[in-house]
Amino acid sequence: MVAKNRKQTGKSPATQTDRDRNPLVSASGKSNVRRAGREGKAATGSHPNGLPGIRHKLGLSPSAAAKLGVTLLLAALTGYLHWYHLSQLFENDRHFSHLSNLEKEMAFRTEMGLYYSYYKTVIEAPSFLEGLHMIMNDRLTEHPLVINTLKRFNLYPEVVLASWYRVYTGVMGYFGIPTKMCWSINRGEGLTPVDSCEGMGDPAYFYVACVFLQNGLMMSLFFIYGAYLSGSRLGGIVTTMCFFFNHGESTRVMWTPPLRESFSYPFLVLQMLLLTYILRTRSPSRTAMVALGVSTLCFMLPWQFAQFVLLTQVASLFASYILGYLSPGKMQSILVTHMVTLGVCFILMFGNSMLLTSFYASSLVSIWAIIALRDQFTKVFKPGIIIWVMQGLAWVGSTVLLKFMLSTVLGVSDDAHISGLIKSKFTSYKDFHTMMYTCAAEFDFMELKTPLRYLGTLLLPINMLVVALIVGRTIQDIIRFLREGGKTSGKRDNVEEVAGSEMAAKGELVYHSLQLLAFTVLAILIMRLKLFLTPHMCIMASLICSKQLFSWVGERFKHQVLVFAVMAGMAIQGVANLQAQWAIIGEFSNLPQEELLNWIQDNTGPDSVFAGAMPTMASVKLSTGRPIVNHPHYEDAGLRERTKLVYSMYSRMSGETVKSNLMKLGVDFFVLEDSWCTRQTRPGCSMPEIWDIEDPENVGKIPLCTLMAKNSRPHFTTVFSNNIYEVLKVTKELR
């Protein structure tokens, strides 16, 4: 693979000029910063241009500017290393640079292929606007329906990348600069050679390169985040080391670039960094709040799951407010920012009602009302534990009530499967849709191996120590507050007094601990969500460099020796983990599916409608452009019912009933996969067993898919088969 170096730039979105303390710039206290500001003002005329002029405009002394430069340089270095690491892992795993266009598309399985297909649509359209119109009026994804896929699937990343690709290839073509290099690949084993292209002019190569570049920049933000939170550049180094040493538990972008989290999560890192700045600042500027809103919007737009993460964030902030670590004024400012962002996202998502009926939206309104009525709470309840509990109960009760009222009024049931999934975690409740989730390993409870891996890299012990110290100090504050009888509760309206107090200085640490707790609960319930927990644990690990928490260690030298000793201990298992990743060498190949897609392309009409397993349907749509009736994006209520009808092929129903179900959807061909008939991830999770829950009348009969593999007549006709796939043509009666 031809390696191309890209310049990485770490940017700090929260540079301070009027702060009491800035750990990224100087540890000498507030007097130095203010003095630098006055000097900069006096010398404005001396350095109107160049780096000295910028330094004076920022109010930085030469030493502070040098420290900031070192911080940004280290951030850029970590970003470059992560970009290179991701690119190499992806290439090593699939030998992507040597795959044909069809093989590259097949490598994007399940919903990855679905998302990528819309990027392909836009770049192959006669113009960008025509491509945008095509995906906003899509007739292929849920035949015969016409749907706005930009609204349904959060496709803003594909729209942006497609526009960049068209501009890039257009400009390069205008100047006659080649953008890709192609050659013929001999695949051996009697297979025909294929053409393979590498370079930014190749659509798939451009797509994954942009994803990895964005996630490289995310690592730069991680370094800045860790350094800012801990007050030490060493904290940034600890954060990035933890991320690399626990890379397999922290992200899966190197294996699944097109997934929504690959685009969305980097903006969550930026958003939480800005939130930390706001929590630490006495009076956050309007610019800071706007930046928080924009980063929140960029986090929400690409991913439908973002609302659940933001729900945990506002819940953690509300808990900090209840305990007195966050003033009402600042809490309300953050809530307003979230509300405005939610409104803008609702508009940009073409009125997606799931946003308004989410627990996140209801929680924002509930918390706002509770804060607005805080004086009434104080009059009714005695300050202390009672009022804290009552505010918490009021939040939970009003949020749940408001959410279900809005869902009922607006008639929205798209997120009903989430309630069923949560219910199935705590009870014996089962239905077809919850089983489709819980039978997948990533939606099961966290496996025991995960905390053991955290233990091996010392990530878990470090976090337990840090959280124990924060909890200990928080308990001391609570006991002190209760002994005083809540006399200080009335002062919380005074932002300046609260922000300047010792408790407010600990507020950001309390928030991060509560956020860690929320991510832990999510990860335990749904293993896939450890992708939020592990990175946040890496952020929390930076606090072993915090003087605020570890002042008891002693002088600075002793503290640094302790940190380096911990990093050395982390590296023992961490380096082994990295070596295991680097040892993954493979090459993508799926000849049976290649045969299937080529047959469909050559032997069916462009209007032929297909149904089958969700992952396969995504590939059919992407590589053949044929209409499909079901796909892997399972979050829509209508799509779930469509998929249930299609999957009746794997039930024990009669062939006549299944044929009737398919004809309701206008299906011409069904792609049958025997593995779906027999595969069992664990007891009770084969498709016939899942159907037994929904269709108890036919329990004990031979599954229809087994019968179809032997003889598909009279209701279907087998028109193609290999060792994996069979294509069944739906026999339609002449009238």
Side-chain angles (χ1 to χ4, degrees):
M1 179 176 178
V2 180
K4 301 182 188 298
N5 293 328
R6 291 177 179 80
K7 185 177 180 181
Q8 302 272 333
T9 305
K11 298 182 180 179
S12 171
T15 303
Q16 302 177 55
T17 61
D18 58 350
R19 289 289 312 284
D20 285 349
R21 50 198 171 100
N22 187 341
L24 296 186
V25 177
S26 174
S28 57
K30 61 183 180 181
S31 59
N32 287 344
V33 175
R34 293 182 178 176
R35 188 179 302 116
R38 289 196 295 269
E39 290 171 1
K41 184 176 180 180
T44 301
S46 302
H47 302 280
N49 299 306
L51 292 177
I54 295 174
R55 173 173 60 78
H56 280 270
K57 287 180 181 179
L58 292 175
L60 301 177
S61 65
S63 62
K67 291 178 180 179
L68 178 60
V70 171
T71 300
L72 296 180
L73 182 62
L74 290 173
L77 177 61
T78 58
Y80 171 79
L81 290 175
H82 194 231
W83 165 79
Y84 182 79
H85 183 63
L86 294 175
S87 301
Q88 289 303 304
L89 289 179
F90 184 71
E91 174 64 19
N92 291 345
D93 179 55
R94 304 186 188 185
H95 210 190
F96 198 72
S97 61
H98 287 64
L99 299 181
S100 68
N101 288 335
L102 177 59
E103 288 172 322
K104 289 176 181 177
E105 291 178 355
M106 289 192 299
F108 297 138
R109 284 191 53 76
T110 65
E111 58 188 296
M112 293 188 289
L114 184 68
Y115 299 136
Y116 183 82
S117 71
Y118 303 109
Y119 164 79
K120 180 182 177 182
T121 297
V122 177
I123 64 173
E124 292 184 350
S127 69
F128 172 75
L129 291 179
E130 287 184 62
L132 188 61
H133 180 268
M134 290 170 67
I135 67 172
M136 292 176 64
N137 298 272
D138 179 89
R139 299 175 180 273
L140 301 179
T141 307
E142 293 182 9
H143 177 85
L145 304 179
V146 178
I147 62 174
N148 183 348
T149 58
L150 181 58
K151 171 184 177 180
R152 178 78 74 79
F153 306 137
N154 301 72
L155 295 179
Y156 276 98
E158 280 66 31
V159 171
V160 172
L161 289 184
S163 66
W164 289 356
Y165 177 82
R166 296 183 71 108
V167 170
Y168 171 77
T169 53
V171 171
M172 292 299 176
Y174 178 81
F175 289 105
I177 301 174
T179 58
K180 60 183 178 181
M181 182 169 56
C182 299
W183 52 83
S184 180
I185 301 294
N186 186 359
R187 298 189 291 175
E189 299 180 10
L191 300 175
T192 57
V194 296
D195 292 331
S196 177
C197 296
E198 181 183 8
M200 295 297 282
D202 180 71
Y205 194 95
F206 182 92
Y207 187 96
V208 298
C210 288
V211 174
F212 294 152
L213 179 61
Q214 182 187 13
N215 282 267
L217 291 172
M218 181 202 72
M219 186 55 65
S220 296
L221 284 175
F222 254 104
F223 177 86
I224 295 172
Y225 194 170
Y228 185 73
L229 182 64
S230 64
S232 167
R233 281 183 294 275
L234 191 57
I237 295 174
V238 170
T239 295
T240 52
M241 284 184 63
C242 286
F243 196 97
F244 275 104
F245 290 162
N246 298 274
H247 200 265
E249 307 296 322
S250 300
T251 182
R252 54 180 182 169
V253 65
M254 60 283 192
W255 316 130
T256 56
L259 290 186
R260 301 300 82 187
E261 66 206 45
S262 302
F263 298 99
S264 186
Y265 185 74
F267 289 106
L268 177 64
V269 177
L270 174 60
Q271 193 259 11
M272 293 181 68
L273 173 58
L274 290 170
L275 180 61
T276 304
Y277 166 79
I278 289 169
L279 293 176
R280 187 180 289 183
T281 307
R282 273 204 181 97
S283 300
S285 64
R286 182 177 298 178
T287 302
M289 302 308 295
V290 170
L292 178 68
V294 171
S295 59
T296 305
L297 178 65
C298 291
F299 172 55
M300 292 183 68
L301 278 178
W303 199 12
Q304 70 277 2
F305 188 79
Q307 54 177 291
F308 298 101
V309 179
L310 294 174
L311 171 64
T312 67
Q313 183 176 97
V314 295
S316 301
L317 289 169
F318 183 55
S320 300
Y321 159 78
I322 289 177
L323 295 174
Y325 289 100
L326 187 58
S327 68
K330 185 177 288 187
M331 183 70 197
Q332 287 179 318
S333 296
I334 295 173
L335 287 175
V336 168
T337 303
H338 275 269
M339 289 177 178
V340 172
T341 301
L342 181 63
V344 174
C345 188
F346 176 75
I347 295 171
L348 292 177
M349 291 302 294
F350 306 93
N352 191 327
S353 54
M354 278 187 67
L355 293 172
L356 295 185
T357 60
S358 64
F359 282 106
Y360 168 57
S362 300
S363 182
L364 292 175
V365 176
S366 300
I367 294 174
W368 174 270
I370 291 171
I371 295 176
L373 297 173
R374 60 187 180 277
D375 292 335
Q376 282 69 24
F377 273 93
T378 305
K379 292 177 181 178
V380 176
F381 303 105
K382 182 180 179 181
I385 295 179
I386 295 178
I387 195 172
W388 296 343
V389 172
M390 295 310 299
Q391 285 178 314
L393 291 176
W395 167 65
V396 173
S398 58
T399 297
V400 173
L401 180 62
L402 183 58
K403 184 262 187 294
F404 286 107
M405 284 178 57
L406 288 172
S407 297
T408 302
V409 171
L410 298 177
V412 176
S413 59
D414 290 339
D415 58 351
H417 64 298
I418 300 295
S419 301
L421 180 60
I422 296 174
K423 185 178 178 181
S424 69
K425 294 289 184 178
F426 300 102
T427 67
S428 58
Y429 174 78
K430 294 179 182 179
D431 64 21
F432 181 86
H433 301 304
T434 58
M435 291 293 287
M436 290 295 291
Y437 278 104
T438 56
C439 284
E442 59 266 30
F443 287 96
D444 201 357
F445 289 102
M446 177 190 288
E447 57 185 0
L448 182 60
K449 293 180 181 178
T450 300
L452 293 179
R453 294 189 188 108
Y454 294 153
L455 195 62
T457 58
L458 302 186
L459 186 61
L460 183 58
I462 292 171
N463 272 261
M464 292 177 66
L465 174 61
V466 168
V467 172
L469 291 173
I470 296 173
V471 170
R473 295 191 177 193
T474 303
I475 291 175
Q476 290 177 0
D477 290 335
I478 292 174
I479 293 174
R480 187 182 308 115
F481 174 81
L482 294 176
R483 284 177 177 173
E484 294 174 357
K487 295 178 182 179
T488 60
S489 61
K491 296 182 180 180
R492 296 203 307 175
D493 288 325
N494 189 323
V495 176
E496 289 297 323
E497 286 185 21
V498 174
S501 69
E502 182 183 354
M503 287 185 70
K506 303 173 186 175
E508 64 191 76
L509 301 183
V510 173
Y511 157 70
H512 280 87
S513 298
L514 291 169
Q515 187 69 74
L516 179 66
L517 175 62
F519 284 158
T520 301
V521 172
L522 290 179
I524 290 174
L525 293 177
I526 301 175
M527 186 177 66
R528 178 181 179 179
L529 302 185
K530 69 181 179 181
L531 301 177
F532 292 109
L533 171 63
T534 313
H536 196 68
M537 292 176 72
C538 297
I539 290 293
M540 294 294 288
S542 71
L543 290 172
I544 64 171
C545 303
S546 171
K547 295 179 182 179
Q548 182 181 355
L549 279 180
F550 287 86
S551 57
W552 50 272
V553 173
E555 59 187 24
R556 180 182 178 185
F557 177 74
K558 289 182 179 179
H559 190 186
Q560 290 182 341
V561 169
L562 174 64
V563 172
F564 279 108
V566 170
M567 287 194 292
M570 290 164 46
I572 297 174
Q573 182 60 44
V575 171
N577 291 345
L578 286 174
Q579 289 174 338
Q581 280 194 321
W582 297 333
I584 297 174
I585 303 294
E587 183 171 2
F588 178 83
S589 179
N590 191 341
L591 293 178
Q593 189 175 86
E594 185 176 340
E595 292 175 357
L596 169 69
L597 297 176
N598 285 330
W599 182 89
I600 292 174
Q601 192 74 49
D602 297 336
N603 296 277
T604 64
D607 296 328
S608 299
V609 182
F610 283 79
M614 292 184 285
T616 305
M617 288 303 99
S619 296
V620 169
K621 180 191 178 300
L622 168 61
S623 299
T624 70
R626 299 300 190 265
I628 58 176
V629 299
N630 64 310
H631 53 77
H633 198 274
Y634 209 60
E635 279 68 26
D636 178 73
L639 186 277
R640 291 196 294 273
E641 294 308 313
R642 281 171 157 260
T643 299
K644 189 175 179 181
L645 288 176
V646 171
Y647 278 22
S648 61
M649 178 65 77
Y650 299 103
S651 71
R652 306 178 197 273
M653 298 178 186
S654 66
E656 184 177 1
T657 302
V658 173
K659 175 184 174 180
S660 175
N661 290 340
L662 296 177
M663 291 186 68
K664 290 178 185 177
L665 301 174
V667 174
D668 297 313
F669 297 94
F670 186 95
V671 180
L672 178 66
E673 300 175 55
D674 186 61
S675 61
W676 279 72
C677 195
T678 58
R679 181 176 56 189
Q680 188 180 50
T681 56
R682 64 171 185 267
C685 279
S686 68
M687 285 304 305
E689 289 173 316
I690 292 174
W691 264 108
D692 288 343
I693 299 172
E694 293 286 326
D695 185 30
E697 295 179 1
N698 291 309
V699 172
K701 295 182 179 179
I702 299 175
L704 179 63
C705 50
T706 301
L707 298 176
M708 289 295 104
K710 297 177 180 178
N711 182 10
S712 60
R713 294 183 180 275
H715 303 293
F716 303 92
T717 302
T718 301
V719 292
F720 169 85
S721 66
N722 59 24
N723 60 334
I724 299 295
Y725 302 98
E726 284 189 39
V727 177
L728 307 180
K729 185 176 182 179
V730 179
T731 304
K732 299 181 179 179
E733 295 82 2
L734 296 176
R735 295 183 179 180

